[in-house]
Amino acid sequence: DRSRRIDTLEPDGEAPHMDLISEILEQKGGSLVSALVSGAGMGTDQAETFLPEAGNSVMKAMTAQADDLDLSDLASKANLDSLLGSIDIAGLASRSGVTAEQGSKGLSTILPLILGFLGDKGDIGGLLGLLGKADDLGGAVDKLKGLGKLFG
């Protein structure tokens, strides 16, 4: 039961990013599970267990590295490399009941899809708030408006 798994992500009962993770799972869960099955060699049950754990790990990594992320291109190679390097893949695999190799392949498979989804939402204010960077919102919006003028 996917909802039970989602509810148990945080052992202390706190899940600061669960609304966004739930939204991703609701809107993209099927395609993410399919990607895990075909790209990481997971069974469907394994993928369904891995996905919320991976989403939680990604959001924690994004929060920890918020100052270093390129918000104008969330799915950039630099962001992907940085986030992949900061996630405890062995721990993620262990919590999800998959091998470390499956965990590594799985995360590499779905991370660009998750970041692409977040970038496509276009809610930079909401993302900055989730990452604890709401105070930076004015500067970030000004920069994005400046880019719009540059290319507009």
mmCIF file of all heavy atoms in Angstrom, residues 47-104:
data_model
loop_
_atom_site.group_PDB
_atom_site.id
_atom_site.type_symbol
_atom_site.label_atom_id
_atom_site.label_comp_id
_atom_site.label_asym_id
_atom_site.label_seq_id
_atom_site.Cartn_x
_atom_site.Cartn_y
_atom_site.Cartn_z
ATOM 1 N N ALA A 47 9.876 -0.998 -6.855
ATOM 2 C CA ALA A 47 9.841 0.376 -7.356
ATOM 3 C C ALA A 47 8.874 1.232 -6.544
ATOM 4 O O ALA A 47 9.164 2.387 -6.227
ATOM 5 C CB ALA A 47 9.458 0.388 -8.837
ATOM 6 N N GLU A 48 7.719 0.652 -6.190
ATOM 7 C CA GLU A 48 6.735 1.396 -5.411
ATOM 8 C C GLU A 48 7.220 1.683 -3.992
ATOM 9 O O GLU A 48 6.814 2.666 -3.386
ATOM 10 C CB GLU A 48 5.406 0.647 -5.390
ATOM 11 C CG GLU A 48 4.700 0.690 -6.727
ATOM 12 C CD GLU A 48 3.408 -0.105 -6.752
ATOM 13 O OE1 GLU A 48 3.118 -0.840 -5.790
ATOM 14 O OE2 GLU A 48 2.681 0.004 -7.758
ATOM 15 N N THR A 49 8.065 0.824 -3.467
ATOM 16 C CA THR A 49 8.657 1.064 -2.149
ATOM 17 C C THR A 49 9.808 2.061 -2.252
ATOM 18 O O THR A 49 9.968 2.947 -1.409
ATOM 19 C CB THR A 49 9.173 -0.259 -1.537
ATOM 20 O OG1 THR A 49 8.069 -1.151 -1.410
ATOM 21 C CG2 THR A 49 9.788 -0.034 -0.171
ATOM 22 N N PHE A 50 10.601 1.934 -3.307
ATOM 23 C CA PHE A 50 11.782 2.784 -3.509
ATOM 24 C C PHE A 50 11.397 4.238 -3.783
ATOM 25 O O PHE A 50 12.035 5.165 -3.289
ATOM 26 C CB PHE A 50 12.603 2.234 -4.688
ATOM 27 C CG PHE A 50 13.824 3.034 -5.026
ATOM 28 C CD1 PHE A 50 15.003 2.860 -4.303
ATOM 29 C CD2 PHE A 50 13.813 3.949 -6.068
ATOM 30 C CE1 PHE A 50 16.135 3.587 -4.623
ATOM 31 C CE2 PHE A 50 14.939 4.679 -6.383
ATOM 32 C CZ PHE A 50 16.108 4.496 -5.661
ATOM 33 N N LEU A 51 10.357 4.441 -4.559
ATOM 34 C CA LEU A 51 10.010 5.774 -5.051
ATOM 35 C C LEU A 51 9.789 6.819 -3.951
ATOM 36 O O LEU A 51 10.410 7.880 -3.987
ATOM 37 C CB LEU A 51 8.807 5.675 -5.983
ATOM 38 C CG LEU A 51 8.485 6.885 -6.830
ATOM 39 C CD1 LEU A 51 9.689 7.376 -7.608
ATOM 40 C CD2 LEU A 51 7.360 6.552 -7.791
ATOM 41 N N PRO A 52 8.944 6.578 -2.949
ATOM 42 C CA PRO A 52 8.776 7.610 -1.918
ATOM 43 C C PRO A 52 10.043 7.829 -1.092
ATOM 44 O O PRO A 52 10.344 8.958 -0.704
ATOM 45 C CB PRO A 52 7.635 7.101 -1.046
ATOM 46 C CG PRO A 52 7.249 5.766 -1.542
ATOM 47 C CD PRO A 52 8.006 5.471 -2.787
ATOM 48 N N GLU A 53 10.790 6.758 -0.847
ATOM 49 C CA GLU A 53 12.063 6.904 -0.118
ATOM 50 C C GLU A 53 13.029 7.770 -0.927
ATOM 51 O O GLU A 53 13.703 8.650 -0.387
ATOM 52 C CB GLU A 53 12.702 5.533 0.152
ATOM 53 C CG GLU A 53 12.007 4.711 1.190
ATOM 54 C CD GLU A 53 12.261 5.184 2.614
ATOM 55 O OE1 GLU A 53 13.140 6.037 2.845
ATOM 56 O OE2 GLU A 53 11.553 4.692 3.509
ATOM 57 N N ALA A 54 13.105 7.504 -2.218
ATOM 58 C CA ALA A 54 13.991 8.278 -3.090
ATOM 59 C C ALA A 54 13.541 9.736 -3.149
ATOM 60 O O ALA A 54 14.372 10.657 -3.095
ATOM 61 C CB ALA A 54 14.024 7.671 -4.492
ATOM 62 N N GLY A 55 12.240 9.967 -3.267
ATOM 63 C CA GLY A 55 11.727 11.334 -3.295
ATOM 64 C C GLY A 55 12.088 12.096 -2.036
ATOM 65 O O GLY A 55 12.501 13.257 -2.090
ATOM 66 N N ASN A 56 11.958 11.439 -0.900
ATOM 67 C CA ASN A 56 12.316 12.060 0.372
ATOM 68 C C ASN A 56 13.815 12.380 0.410
ATOM 69 O O ASN A 56 14.220 13.464 0.833
ATOM 70 C CB ASN A 56 11.905 11.146 1.526
ATOM 71 C CG ASN A 56 11.906 11.856 2.854
ATOM 72 O OD1 ASN A 56 11.512 13.008 2.954
ATOM 73 N ND2 ASN A 56 12.357 11.175 3.881
ATOM 74 N N SER A 57 14.638 11.444 -0.052
ATOM 75 C CA SER A 57 16.087 11.663 -0.077
ATOM 76 C C SER A 57 16.468 12.816 -1.000
ATOM 77 O O SER A 57 17.337 13.627 -0.676
ATOM 78 C CB SER A 57 16.811 10.383 -0.520
ATOM 79 O OG SER A 57 16.654 9.359 0.427
ATOM 80 N N VAL A 58 15.803 12.887 -2.137
ATOM 81 C CA VAL A 58 16.079 13.972 -3.096
ATOM 82 C C VAL A 58 15.718 15.320 -2.480
ATOM 83 O O VAL A 58 16.488 16.283 -2.560
ATOM 84 C CB VAL A 58 15.312 13.743 -4.421
ATOM 85 C CG1 VAL A 58 15.343 14.989 -5.298
ATOM 86 C CG2 VAL A 58 15.906 12.550 -5.164
ATOM 87 N N MET A 59 14.554 15.398 -1.832
ATOM 88 C CA MET A 59 14.144 16.675 -1.246
ATOM 89 C C MET A 59 15.075 17.095 -0.114
ATOM 90 O O MET A 59 15.401 18.271 0.030
ATOM 91 C CB MET A 59 12.691 16.597 -0.765
ATOM 92 C CG MET A 59 11.680 16.452 -1.892
ATOM 93 S SD MET A 59 11.841 17.689 -3.228
ATOM 94 C CE MET A 59 11.521 19.182 -2.320
ATOM 95 N N LYS A 60 15.517 16.135 0.692
ATOM 96 C CA LYS A 60 16.469 16.459 1.758
ATOM 97 C C LYS A 60 17.784 16.960 1.162
ATOM 98 O O LYS A 60 18.364 17.929 1.658
ATOM 99 C CB LYS A 60 16.719 15.238 2.644
ATOM 100 C CG LYS A 60 15.585 14.932 3.579
ATOM 101 C CD LYS A 60 15.907 13.710 4.431
ATOM 102 C CE LYS A 60 14.797 13.406 5.405
ATOM 103 N NZ LYS A 60 15.108 12.230 6.231
ATOM 104 N N ALA A 61 18.253 16.305 0.098
ATOM 105 C CA ALA A 61 19.494 16.737 -0.549
ATOM 106 C C ALA A 61 19.328 18.121 -1.164
ATOM 107 O O ALA A 61 20.231 18.961 -1.075
ATOM 108 C CB ALA A 61 19.917 15.724 -1.612
ATOM 109 N N MET A 62 18.178 18.382 -1.775
ATOM 110 C CA MET A 62 17.933 19.698 -2.366
ATOM 111 C C MET A 62 17.920 20.773 -1.286
ATOM 112 O O MET A 62 18.440 21.871 -1.491
ATOM 113 C CB MET A 62 16.618 19.713 -3.143
ATOM 114 C CG MET A 62 16.679 18.937 -4.433
ATOM 115 S SD MET A 62 15.110 18.972 -5.337
ATOM 116 C CE MET A 62 15.082 20.692 -5.875
ATOM 117 N N THR A 63 17.326 20.474 -0.148
ATOM 118 C CA THR A 63 17.288 21.436 0.950
ATOM 119 C C THR A 63 18.693 21.718 1.462
ATOM 120 O O THR A 63 19.064 22.873 1.680
ATOM 121 C CB THR A 63 16.398 20.906 2.093
ATOM 122 O OG1 THR A 63 15.085 20.692 1.581
ATOM 123 C CG2 THR A 63 16.331 21.880 3.239
ATOM 124 N N ALA A 64 19.483 20.659 1.623
ATOM 125 C CA ALA A 64 20.843 20.823 2.130
ATOM 126 C C ALA A 64 21.726 21.593 1.156
ATOM 127 O O ALA A 64 22.656 22.294 1.569
ATOM 128 C CB ALA A 64 21.463 19.456 2.422
ATOM 129 N N GLN A 65 21.431 21.495 -0.133
ATOM 130 C CA GLN A 65 22.269 22.133 -1.149
ATOM 131 C C GLN A 65 21.574 23.291 -1.848
ATOM 132 O O GLN A 65 21.969 23.687 -2.944
ATOM 133 C CB GLN A 65 22.689 21.092 -2.181
ATOM 134 C CG GLN A 65 23.533 20.017 -1.584
ATOM 135 C CD GLN A 65 24.136 19.133 -2.649
ATOM 136 O OE1 GLN A 65 24.202 19.499 -3.807
ATOM 137 N NE2 GLN A 65 24.593 17.984 -2.258
ATOM 138 N N ALA A 66 20.572 23.851 -1.225
ATOM 139 C CA ALA A 66 19.763 24.888 -1.867
ATOM 140 C C ALA A 66 20.591 26.051 -2.393
ATOM 141 O O ALA A 66 20.298 26.596 -3.448
ATOM 142 C CB ALA A 66 18.692 25.388 -0.897
ATOM 143 N N ASP A 67 21.624 26.435 -1.668
ATOM 144 C CA ASP A 67 22.436 27.575 -2.100
ATOM 145 C C ASP A 67 23.221 27.283 -3.368
ATOM 146 O O ASP A 67 23.614 28.205 -4.084
ATOM 147 C CB ASP A 67 23.417 27.988 -0.997
ATOM 148 C CG ASP A 67 22.713 28.648 0.172
ATOM 149 O OD1 ASP A 67 21.633 29.238 -0.026
ATOM 150 O OD2 ASP A 67 23.257 28.567 1.294
ATOM 151 N N ASP A 68 23.478 26.018 -3.646
ATOM 152 C CA ASP A 68 24.323 25.649 -4.776
ATOM 153 C C ASP A 68 23.550 25.203 -6.002
ATOM 154 O O ASP A 68 24.158 24.981 -7.056
ATOM 155 C CB ASP A 68 25.283 24.521 -4.356
ATOM 156 C CG ASP A 68 26.182 24.946 -3.206
ATOM 157 O OD1 ASP A 68 26.596 26.123 -3.177
ATOM 158 O OD2 ASP A 68 26.440 24.110 -2.325
ATOM 159 N N LEU A 69 22.244 25.054 -5.906
ATOM 160 C CA LEU A 69 21.455 24.565 -7.031
ATOM 161 C C LEU A 69 21.194 25.670 -8.046
ATOM 162 O O LEU A 69 20.961 26.819 -7.688
ATOM 163 C CB LEU A 69 20.119 24.004 -6.547
ATOM 164 C CG LEU A 69 20.176 22.756 -5.693
ATOM 165 C CD1 LEU A 69 18.771 22.381 -5.226
ATOM 166 C CD2 LEU A 69 20.813 21.606 -6.440
ATOM 167 N N ASP A 70 21.210 25.299 -9.315
ATOM 168 C CA ASP A 70 20.854 26.209 -10.394
ATOM 169 C C ASP A 70 19.347 26.106 -10.593
ATOM 170 O O ASP A 70 18.855 25.169 -11.222
ATOM 171 C CB ASP A 70 21.605 25.808 -11.668
ATOM 172 C CG ASP A 70 21.233 26.670 -12.861
ATOM 173 O OD1 ASP A 70 20.401 27.597 -12.725
ATOM 174 O OD2 ASP A 70 21.782 26.421 -13.953
ATOM 175 N N LEU A 71 18.609 27.043 -10.027
ATOM 176 C CA LEU A 71 17.150 26.995 -10.082
ATOM 177 C C LEU A 71 16.603 27.312 -11.472
ATOM 178 O O LEU A 71 15.462 27.002 -11.767
ATOM 179 C CB LEU A 71 16.546 27.946 -9.052
ATOM 180 C CG LEU A 71 16.856 27.615 -7.594
ATOM 181 C CD1 LEU A 71 16.243 28.651 -6.669
ATOM 182 C CD2 LEU A 71 16.393 26.222 -7.225
ATOM 183 N N SER A 72 17.416 27.912 -12.324
ATOM 184 C CA SER A 72 16.937 28.218 -13.669
ATOM 185 C C SER A 72 16.941 26.978 -14.556
ATOM 186 O O SER A 72 16.300 26.958 -15.600
ATOM 187 C CB SER A 72 17.788 29.326 -14.298
ATOM 188 O OG SER A 72 19.105 28.850 -14.526
ATOM 189 N N ASP A 73 17.685 25.930 -14.157
ATOM 190 C CA ASP A 73 17.735 24.674 -14.909
ATOM 191 C C ASP A 73 17.905 23.537 -13.911
ATOM 192 O O ASP A 73 19.005 23.008 -13.740
ATOM 193 C CB ASP A 73 18.891 24.707 -15.914
ATOM 194 C CG ASP A 73 18.947 23.467 -16.792
ATOM 195 O OD1 ASP A 73 17.999 22.644 -16.740
ATOM 196 O OD2 ASP A 73 19.934 23.305 -17.529
ATOM 197 N N LEU A 74 16.817 23.187 -13.241
ATOM 198 C CA LEU A 74 16.901 22.203 -12.156
ATOM 199 C C LEU A 74 17.496 20.879 -12.598
ATOM 200 O O LEU A 74 18.220 20.238 -11.848
ATOM 201 C CB LEU A 74 15.516 21.957 -11.551
ATOM 202 C CG LEU A 74 15.081 22.935 -10.480
ATOM 203 C CD1 LEU A 74 13.680 22.595 -9.993
ATOM 204 C CD2 LEU A 74 16.044 22.944 -9.319
ATOM 205 N N ALA A 75 17.199 20.438 -13.821
ATOM 206 C CA ALA A 75 17.671 19.138 -14.285
ATOM 207 C C ALA A 75 19.046 19.218 -14.953
ATOM 208 O O ALA A 75 19.428 18.322 -15.691
ATOM 209 C CB ALA A 75 16.643 18.517 -15.225
ATOM 210 N N SER A 76 19.806 20.269 -14.648
ATOM 211 C CA SER A 76 21.136 20.411 -15.251
ATOM 212 C C SER A 76 22.073 19.317 -14.758
ATOM 213 O O SER A 76 21.884 18.741 -13.682
ATOM 214 C CB SER A 76 21.725 21.787 -14.913
ATOM 215 O OG SER A 76 22.064 21.834 -13.533
ATOM 216 N N LYS A 77 23.095 19.036 -15.549
ATOM 217 C CA LYS A 77 24.073 18.008 -15.169
ATOM 218 C C LYS A 77 24.743 18.372 -13.845
ATOM 219 O O LYS A 77 24.965 17.495 -13.009
ATOM 220 C CB LYS A 77 25.119 17.841 -16.271
ATOM 221 C CG LYS A 77 26.147 16.773 -15.930
ATOM 222 C CD LYS A 77 27.021 16.424 -17.093
ATOM 223 C CE LYS A 77 28.126 15.456 -16.812
ATOM 224 N NZ LYS A 77 28.127 14.663 -15.638
ATOM 225 N N ALA A 78 25.036 19.630 -13.630
ATOM 226 C CA ALA A 78 25.675 20.048 -12.376
ATOM 227 C C ALA A 78 24.778 19.742 -11.175
ATOM 228 O O ALA A 78 25.246 19.230 -10.156
ATOM 229 C CB ALA A 78 26.017 21.539 -12.417
ATOM 230 N N ASN A 79 23.485 20.047 -11.288
ATOM 231 C CA ASN A 79 22.550 19.740 -10.203
ATOM 232 C C ASN A 79 22.434 18.234 -9.996
ATOM 233 O O ASN A 79 22.443 17.756 -8.858
ATOM 234 C CB ASN A 79 21.161 20.321 -10.486
ATOM 235 C CG ASN A 79 21.083 21.812 -10.249
ATOM 236 O OD1 ASN A 79 21.983 22.430 -9.706
ATOM 237 N ND2 ASN A 79 19.981 22.403 -10.677
ATOM 238 N N LEU A 80 22.317 17.494 -11.088
ATOM 239 C CA LEU A 80 22.198 16.036 -10.982
ATOM 240 C C LEU A 80 23.420 15.439 -10.282
ATOM 241 O O LEU A 80 23.288 14.645 -9.358
ATOM 242 C CB LEU A 80 22.034 15.411 -12.371
ATOM 243 C CG LEU A 80 20.713 15.672 -13.084
ATOM 244 C CD1 LEU A 80 20.785 15.211 -14.537
ATOM 245 C CD2 LEU A 80 19.576 14.981 -12.373
ATOM 246 N N ASP A 81 24.607 15.837 -10.736
ATOM 247 C CA ASP A 81 25.839 15.311 -10.148
ATOM 248 C C ASP A 81 25.942 15.674 -8.671
ATOM 249 O O ASP A 81 26.309 14.848 -7.838
ATOM 250 C CB ASP A 81 27.067 15.834 -10.901
ATOM 251 C CG ASP A 81 27.194 15.243 -12.299
ATOM 252 O OD1 ASP A 81 26.519 14.235 -12.599
ATOM 253 O OD2 ASP A 81 27.969 15.809 -13.101
ATOM 254 N N SER A 82 25.613 16.910 -8.348
ATOM 255 C CA SER A 82 25.703 17.374 -6.974
ATOM 256 C C SER A 82 24.748 16.603 -6.061
ATOM 257 O O SER A 82 25.120 16.148 -4.976
ATOM 258 C CB SER A 82 25.406 18.874 -6.920
ATOM 259 O OG SER A 82 25.420 19.342 -5.604
ATOM 260 N N LEU A 83 23.510 16.454 -6.502
ATOM 261 C CA LEU A 83 22.514 15.761 -5.686
ATOM 262 C C LEU A 83 22.830 14.267 -5.571
ATOM 263 O O LEU A 83 22.735 13.695 -4.487
ATOM 264 C CB LEU A 83 21.112 15.980 -6.253
ATOM 265 C CG LEU A 83 20.595 17.412 -6.124
ATOM 266 C CD1 LEU A 83 19.310 17.591 -6.924
ATOM 267 C CD2 LEU A 83 20.389 17.794 -4.676
ATOM 268 N N LEU A 84 23.207 13.638 -6.677
ATOM 269 C CA LEU A 84 23.548 12.210 -6.629
ATOM 270 C C LEU A 84 24.720 11.967 -5.680
ATOM 271 O O LEU A 84 24.743 10.970 -4.968
ATOM 272 C CB LEU A 84 23.895 11.685 -8.030
ATOM 273 C CG LEU A 84 22.714 11.439 -8.960
ATOM 274 C CD1 LEU A 84 23.202 11.126 -10.371
ATOM 275 C CD2 LEU A 84 21.838 10.313 -8.449
ATOM 276 N N GLY A 85 25.676 12.891 -5.666
ATOM 277 C CA GLY A 85 26.834 12.745 -4.798
ATOM 278 C C GLY A 85 26.540 12.960 -3.326
ATOM 279 O O GLY A 85 27.319 12.548 -2.468
ATOM 280 N N SER A 86 25.414 13.583 -3.025
ATOM 281 C CA SER A 86 25.122 13.909 -1.633
ATOM 282 C C SER A 86 24.119 12.954 -0.977
ATOM 283 O O SER A 86 23.878 13.041 0.219
ATOM 284 C CB SER A 86 24.603 15.339 -1.530
ATOM 285 O OG SER A 86 23.310 15.428 -2.094
ATOM 286 N N ILE A 87 23.542 12.056 -1.750
ATOM 287 C CA ILE A 87 22.544 11.127 -1.217
ATOM 288 C C ILE A 87 23.223 9.820 -0.820
ATOM 289 O O ILE A 87 24.028 9.272 -1.570
ATOM 290 C CB ILE A 87 21.421 10.879 -2.256
ATOM 291 C CG1 ILE A 87 20.628 12.168 -2.479
ATOM 292 C CG2 ILE A 87 20.497 9.745 -1.812
ATOM 293 C CD1 ILE A 87 19.613 12.105 -3.592
ATOM 294 N N ASP A 88 22.895 9.347 0.365
ATOM 295 C CA ASP A 88 23.406 8.061 0.854
ATOM 296 C C ASP A 88 22.648 6.955 0.123
ATOM 297 O O ASP A 88 21.592 6.492 0.572
ATOM 298 C CB ASP A 88 23.208 7.965 2.365
ATOM 299 C CG ASP A 88 23.587 6.612 2.936
ATOM 300 O OD1 ASP A 88 24.227 5.808 2.218
ATOM 301 O OD2 ASP A 88 23.230 6.358 4.100
ATOM 302 N N ILE A 89 23.198 6.539 -1.019
ATOM 303 C CA ILE A 89 22.505 5.571 -1.866
ATOM 304 C C ILE A 89 22.417 4.208 -1.186
ATOM 305 O O ILE A 89 21.395 3.533 -1.268
ATOM 306 C CB ILE A 89 23.179 5.485 -3.252
ATOM 307 C CG1 ILE A 89 23.000 6.827 -3.975
ATOM 308 C CG2 ILE A 89 22.578 4.346 -4.077
ATOM 309 C CD1 ILE A 89 23.724 6.952 -5.288
ATOM 310 N N ALA A 90 23.474 3.798 -0.477
ATOM 311 C CA ALA A 90 23.432 2.506 0.224
ATOM 312 C C ALA A 90 22.330 2.512 1.284
ATOM 313 O O ALA A 90 21.598 1.532 1.428
ATOM 314 C CB ALA A 90 24.788 2.200 0.852
ATOM 315 N N GLY A 91 22.205 3.616 2.017
ATOM 316 C CA GLY A 91 21.149 3.733 3.019
ATOM 317 C C GLY A 91 19.769 3.743 2.388
ATOM 318 O O GLY A 91 18.839 3.096 2.882
ATOM 319 N N LEU A 92 19.639 4.474 1.288
ATOM 320 C CA LEU A 92 18.373 4.528 0.558
ATOM 321 C C LEU A 92 17.994 3.123 0.078
ATOM 322 O O LEU A 92 16.851 2.691 0.237
ATOM 323 C CB LEU A 92 18.493 5.493 -0.633
ATOM 324 C CG LEU A 92 17.360 5.485 -1.657
ATOM 325 C CD1 LEU A 92 16.037 5.876 -1.020
ATOM 326 C CD2 LEU A 92 17.711 6.428 -2.814
ATOM 327 N N ALA A 93 18.957 2.419 -0.486
ATOM 328 C CA ALA A 93 18.699 1.058 -0.979
ATOM 329 C C ALA A 93 18.279 0.147 0.170
ATOM 330 O O ALA A 93 17.318 -0.620 0.046
ATOM 331 C CB ALA A 93 19.936 0.520 -1.683
ATOM 332 N N SER A 94 18.973 0.256 1.281
ATOM 333 C CA SER A 94 18.660 -0.577 2.443
ATOM 334 C C SER A 94 17.247 -0.312 2.957
ATOM 335 O O SER A 94 16.486 -1.247 3.241
ATOM 336 C CB SER A 94 19.687 -0.324 3.548
ATOM 337 O OG SER A 94 19.355 -1.023 4.707
ATOM 338 N N ARG A 95 16.877 0.967 3.078
ATOM 339 C CA ARG A 95 15.530 1.326 3.547
ATOM 340 C C ARG A 95 14.452 0.861 2.572
ATOM 341 O O ARG A 95 13.307 0.630 2.957
ATOM 342 C CB ARG A 95 15.411 2.840 3.749
ATOM 343 C CG ARG A 95 16.184 3.378 4.917
ATOM 344 C CD ARG A 95 15.869 4.847 5.180
ATOM 345 N NE ARG A 95 15.962 5.730 4.034
ATOM 346 C CZ ARG A 95 17.084 6.302 3.590
ATOM 347 N NH1 ARG A 95 18.232 6.061 4.201
ATOM 348 N NH2 ARG A 95 17.070 7.114 2.562
ATOM 349 N N SER A 96 14.820 0.755 1.299
ATOM 350 C CA SER A 96 13.846 0.412 0.257
ATOM 351 C C SER A 96 13.796 -1.072 -0.064
ATOM 352 O O SER A 96 12.959 -1.501 -0.854
ATOM 353 C CB SER A 96 14.180 1.178 -1.030
ATOM 354 O OG SER A 96 14.231 2.555 -0.794
ATOM 355 N N GLY A 97 14.726 -1.837 0.467
ATOM 356 C CA GLY A 97 14.740 -3.271 0.190
ATOM 357 C C GLY A 97 15.240 -3.634 -1.194
ATOM 358 O O GLY A 97 14.815 -4.638 -1.776
ATOM 359 N N VAL A 98 16.127 -2.790 -1.749
ATOM 360 C CA VAL A 98 16.737 -3.088 -3.049
ATOM 361 C C VAL A 98 18.248 -3.161 -2.863
ATOM 362 O O VAL A 98 18.776 -2.752 -1.835
ATOM 363 C CB VAL A 98 16.368 -2.020 -4.117
ATOM 364 C CG1 VAL A 98 14.860 -1.960 -4.324
ATOM 365 C CG2 VAL A 98 16.892 -0.634 -3.742
ATOM 366 N N THR A 99 18.935 -3.674 -3.879
ATOM 367 C CA THR A 99 20.393 -3.729 -3.804
ATOM 368 C C THR A 99 20.962 -2.329 -3.992
ATOM 369 O O THR A 99 20.294 -1.433 -4.518
ATOM 370 C CB THR A 99 20.970 -4.650 -4.893
ATOM 371 O OG1 THR A 99 20.718 -4.058 -6.182
ATOM 372 C CG2 THR A 99 20.361 -6.052 -4.825
ATOM 373 N N ALA A 100 22.212 -2.153 -3.584
ATOM 374 C CA ALA A 100 22.869 -0.856 -3.770
ATOM 375 C C ALA A 100 22.947 -0.506 -5.256
ATOM 376 O O ALA A 100 22.774 0.659 -5.636
ATOM 377 C CB ALA A 100 24.259 -0.880 -3.145
ATOM 378 N N GLU A 101 23.175 -1.504 -6.101
ATOM 379 C CA GLU A 101 23.231 -1.254 -7.549
ATOM 380 C C GLU A 101 21.873 -0.792 -8.074
ATOM 381 O O GLU A 101 21.787 0.162 -8.852
ATOM 382 C CB GLU A 101 23.682 -2.516 -8.290
ATOM 383 C CG GLU A 101 23.801 -2.298 -9.785
ATOM 384 C CD GLU A 101 24.240 -3.543 -10.546
ATOM 385 O OE1 GLU A 101 24.664 -4.535 -9.915
ATOM 386 O OE2 GLU A 101 24.149 -3.513 -11.784
ATOM 387 N N GLN A 102 20.808 -1.463 -7.624
ATOM 388 C CA GLN A 102 19.468 -1.033 -8.035
ATOM 389 C C GLN A 102 19.175 0.372 -7.518
ATOM 390 O O GLN A 102 18.570 1.180 -8.222
ATOM 391 C CB GLN A 102 18.406 -2.001 -7.515
ATOM 392 C CG GLN A 102 18.361 -3.329 -8.229
ATOM 393 C CD GLN A 102 17.390 -4.285 -7.568
ATOM 394 O OE1 GLN A 102 17.348 -4.408 -6.340
ATOM 395 N NE2 GLN A 102 16.597 -4.992 -8.377
ATOM 396 N N GLY A 103 19.592 0.655 -6.285
ATOM 397 C CA GLY A 103 19.377 1.986 -5.720
ATOM 398 C C GLY A 103 20.101 3.053 -6.518
ATOM 399 O O GLY A 103 19.533 4.114 -6.811
ATOM 400 N N SER A 104 21.336 2.778 -6.888
ATOM 401 C CA SER A 104 22.118 3.732 -7.676
ATOM 402 C C SER A 104 21.503 3.944 -9.059
ATOM 403 O O SER A 104 21.307 5.080 -9.503
ATOM 404 C CB SER A 104 23.559 3.235 -7.804
ATOM 405 O OG SER A 104 24.324 4.112 -8.583
#
